[in-house]
Amino acid sequence: MKILVTGGAGFIGSAVVRLAASRGHEIVNCDALTYAACLDNVAEVASSDSYAFEHVDIRDRTALDAVFERHKPDAVMHLAAESHVDRSIDGPSDFIETNITGTFNMLETSRSYWTKAGKPETFRFHHISTDEVYGSLGAEGMFTEDTPYDPRSPYSASKAASDHLVNAWHETFGLPVVLTNCSNNYGPFHFPEKLVPVVILNALADRDIPIYGKGDNIRDWLYVEDHADALLLVLEKGKLGRSYNIGGENERTNLQLVETLLTILDEKRPKAEGSYKDQITFVADRPGHDQRYAIDPTRIREELGWRPSVTVEEGLEKTVQWYLDNESWWRPLQDRKGVGERLGTKA
Ligand SMILES: NC(=O)c1ccc[n+]([C@@H]2O[C@H](COP(=O)([O-])OP(=O)(O)OC[C@H]3O[C@@H](n4cnc5c(N)ncnc54)[C@H](O)[C@@H]3O)[C@@H](O)[C@H]2O)c1
């Protein structure tokens, strides 16, 4: 299958590109190469005849039409987005333009391309979204696909809006869509502004390891390569017009997650004295910080037979090792704008 992937130079998109290529799919990677992108993420497939890169911004409808015309994809996996909640607090406009208008452009380009091709039943538009659209949970309960949307940050509101557009394009125009909402990802090639790489890299640099609030916010942690596997399964086997929640079955408080990471690091690269945990520093919380996310994975498990392959301990072990082995990847990214700074305080 020829899959047009948007955001394929980002964290999750590049995992999808690598996995799909390894399974024999042709890939057209469309990415605007924002601050969050890194083409090294897809270096292992870049020289393949089955891979093409298009430097394109999804806010540019004309450019998108030309890319679809040139490559004639069988399916679209739409991951391009502004993805960092803290940046959405300081400057929401990019989130509105890319996540909402960009998704609208992707839908319109896909609809026009699919209509001209005679509306093939096999075409798929797979929209990749987040569990953050459901809002914040208390101590009990889990997000199912029927949980009402209740986004609380500019990021999650923009993703919620994009999900509504995708569903509307299916209901109104018959576009063959599938939609997924996943929990927090972690793993190799994670951009060094997100919690897991910040913890590893600050620990190694002997800097404070910042934890927002009391560290009691709970997330369900999903290894990125498991996520990519689930996404390809939904693309191929998901029911049209249906959404699937994807979780890691690994709920942890942020503090538990950080302590697990630092225990692994203490074992793999012990400090001369003491533990990396001594570097933990509690800082002012993120405004509107959602307390808990938890995914009920029943639908994807029962309809498609999918479960994550690793526990969070196994996934974090692989992740720490990857960062220890790949300094040449992360070191230059630390110079990009805003990385290493406290963001998201301008509420
Ligand atoms: N990271 C997570 O834990 C997580 C969880 C749930 C859902 N998601 C969703 O998964 C998708 C991918 O997330 P990620 O963490 O890989 O993000 P990322 O920030 O690492 O990568 C985003 C990619 O999109 C590209 N991009 C941004 N704006 C663009 C534009 N206007 N035109 C074309 N390309 C553009 C960037 O250059 C980058 O390569 C997003 O849609 C995000 O909402 C992420």
Side-chain angles (χ1 to χ4, degrees), residues 44-265:
E44 69 185 52
V45 303
S47 59
S48 159
D49 291 342
S50 309
Y51 173 85
F53 176 70
E54 291 282 356
H55 188 189
V56 63
D57 193 316
I58 61 167
R59 290 170 291 187
D60 182 346
R61 170 75 203 273
T62 310
L64 285 179
D65 283 337
V67 167
F68 273 64
E69 196 45 46
R70 196 154 47 242
H71 293 284
K72 302 196 169 27
D74 303 310
V76 171
M77 295 179 81
H78 176 40
L79 296 102
E82 289 292 338
S83 70
H84 191 30
V85 177
D86 286 344
R87 289 187 192 253
S88 83
I89 295 168
D90 292 342
S93 65
D94 284 348
F95 289 73
I96 305 304
E97 288 167 17
T98 285
N99 299 1
I100 305 179
T101 309
T103 299
F104 164 71
N105 285 337
M106 285 299 301
L107 286 165
E108 279 297 78
T109 299
S110 298
R111 180 164 78 94
S112 154
Y113 163 76
W114 172 69
T115 304
K116 273 192 215 141
K119 302 191 173 179
E121 283 171 20
T122 50
F123 182 76
R124 289 289 175 279
F125 184 100
H126 181 176
H127 181 60
I128 285 81
S129 191
T130 169
D131 61 355
E132 300 190 30
V133 298
Y134 299 122
S136 182
L137 288 167
E140 300 294 319
M142 292 180 134
F143 298 136
T144 72
E145 290 79 359
D146 298 322
T147 301
Y149 276 28
D150 184 22
R152 291 155 33 96
S153 75
Y155 164 67
S156 55
S158 69
K159 290 298 291 187
S162 70
D163 292 8
H164 291 316
L165 291 176
V166 171
N167 284 322
W169 260 241
H170 176 67
E171 294 297 332
T172 305
F173 303 115
L175 190 70
V177 310
V178 285
L179 205 144
T180 49
N181 297 81
C182 72
S183 58
N184 278 48
N185 283 222
Y186 68 96
F189 300 103
H190 207 180
F191 192 72
E193 66 180 353
K194 301 280 174 75
L195 179 64
V196 168
V198 163
V199 170
I200 299 170
L201 302 183
N202 280 25
L204 292 174
D206 203 23
R207 289 201 211 107
D208 287 350
I209 297 167
I211 299 200
Y212 291 177
K214 295 195 286 256
D216 58 357
N217 304 73
I218 296 175
R219 302 289 181 261
D220 173 5
W221 292 91
L222 173 63
Y223 189 58
V224 69
E225 291 174 7
D226 276 345
H227 185 205
D229 178 56
L231 292 178
L232 287 173
L233 182 66
V234 171
L235 181 74
E236 289 177 33
K237 302 268 170 60
K239 286 195 193 133
L240 284 191
R242 202 151 171 80
S243 71
Y244 295 85
N245 286 352
I246 307 173
E249 301 181 23
N250 280 305
E251 272 189 65
R252 296 286 185 282
T253 66
N254 284 348
L255 186 57
Q256 284 170 333
L257 182 94
V258 170
E259 287 179 338
T260 306
L261 269 171
L262 297 177
T263 302
I264 296 168
L265 212 47

Side-chain angles (χ1 to χ4, degrees), residues 18-19 22 39-48 189:
R18 294 189 304 272
L19 186 65
S22 77
L39 280 174
D40 291 346
N41 299 8
V42 289
E44 69 185 52
V45 303
S47 59
S48 159
F189 300 103

